[in-house]
Amino acid sequence: MMPVPDPPVPTSPIRDEVDRAVEELRLAERAAELDRQPEFPKAEFRALGERGLLGLHTATRLGGRGLSLLDSAATLYRLAYRSGSTTFAKLSLQPEFSSVLAELGSDALVASYFVPLCRGERLIGNQVTEPAAGSDPRGMAFEALRDDRGYRLRGTKSQAAFAVDAEAAIVYARVPAHSAGPGGITAFLVPQDRPGIDRRLVPDLGERWMRRGAVRYENVPIGPEFRLGEEGKGLEYVLPELTRERALLAMIYLGVARRSLEETVEFVGQRETFGRPLSQQQSVSFPLVEDWSDADAATLYALRSIEKLSDGEEATAEAALSKWMATDVALTTLDHAIQFHGGRGYSTELPFERQWRDVRSGGIAHGPSELMHRAGARRLWPPPQKA
Ligand SMILES: Cc1cc2nc3c(=O)[nH]c(=O)nc-3n(C[C@H](O)[C@H](O)[C@H](O)COP(=O)(O)OP(=O)(O)OC[C@H]3O[C@@H](n4cnc5c(N)ncnc54)[C@H](O)[C@@H]3O)c2cc1C
């Protein structure tokens, strides 16, 4: 590879393990196969679990790897970079996406669902979004109606990753006794094989292995032991998790971007048109120089938000802006990779079009980019405190 100066990312303490996993499990090739034939990568999930590569930032007593947030970030970056894909780094993050279960579930729930998740044995989804409530959960209509044996769930969740593959999902519902608005929402762990649950796949542009879709609940009974935390506090619990996720997702998108940048820099240094290498054309070299500096800047910014979170500081806005910046930089870099590789760049022979489609989700999933800006605006102009 041509020497693009090293990115400003600390070396992962388990870098060799990651590199070995990518080689031995053929993760780069598998990412392409999973795009062509979308399915949940069960074997790789299990293998990553066996190798201790799921739940990098999750405590070892819960089955995770117990790395610091910064080491997790460096490791996810490496995994995305080496596999040239968001797939396996996002798979690795699944336990962190379910930290509400680890923190608030009973010992029995943690033992039978969360620990197996870290081993790659059980997949847990998250179901927040509904047809009429995505960015703004105040519109959530999904209900958990109390009855003498616990609750009955009814309503429809939409757009959920692993809609058809998850063994269980963390489901957010309104218990009618509680106030309207975000304050009234309660989290439950719901095994997805209960009668009354109907799951439907809706194919996607990218990240097809997630097999997203809609899940309809028709009076599905669930005992109180499946409730996570107190009634009405579901969203309060999920917000800190969401902030960490956004900062880590930024590192995944930047890992993929870095890989494509290096490949494009090498290619334009060799490919000749009109008697000289493409790299001699400023219209080609300058955008790539900008990609390099933008990627380094976005990486430093994401690492800064990770450092703040590690120090226990408030970094909601920084983490949100990290995700937006990383997505934007990665999409531009991938677009340049497609463009400067010419006709092959646009084809499925090269990975860039798939990487672009995968990274494109970053502008919507875990909060659209506009809401990331909104988090920044709220930092600059905080909303007045209610008396
Ligand atoms: C790959 C992927 C995986 C996902 N996985 C899950 C999952 O596992 N579980 C789950 O529950 N959901 C999941 N989602 C759904 C995701 O969380 C929602 O799509 C997202 O929160 C936006 O909600 P919405 O689609 O209802 O869009 P809306 O809220 O209807 O917004 C539509 C668009 O309007 C704009 N917008 C919205 N609000 C504002 C505002 N205040 N100011 C300016 N512009 C605004 C944004 O461009 C936004 O994309 C996933 C989405 C994707 C793409």
Side-chain angles (χ1 to χ4, degrees), residues 20 56 85 87 134 153 179 190 245 384:
R20 250 197 323 276
L56 298 171
S85 169
T87 304
L153 303 177
S179 61
V190 186
E245 280 169 17

Side-chain angles (χ1 to χ4, degrees), residues 90 125-136 157-163 170 172 204 206-207 210 212 253 358 360-371 374:
K90 286 201 178 179
N126 270 275
Q127 297 175 6
V128 184
T129 310
E130 297 179 12
S135 308
D136 183 2
K157 292 293 182 185
S158 57
Q159 309 201 36
F162 318 127
I170 301 171
Y172 292 82
D204 271 330
E207 299 199 316
M210 285 188 189
R212 288 195 312 139
Y253 299 135
D358 286 352
R360 184 63 185 83
S361 77
I364 300 172
H366 302 268
S369 293
E370 292 85 347
L371 288 207
R374 188 168 180 261

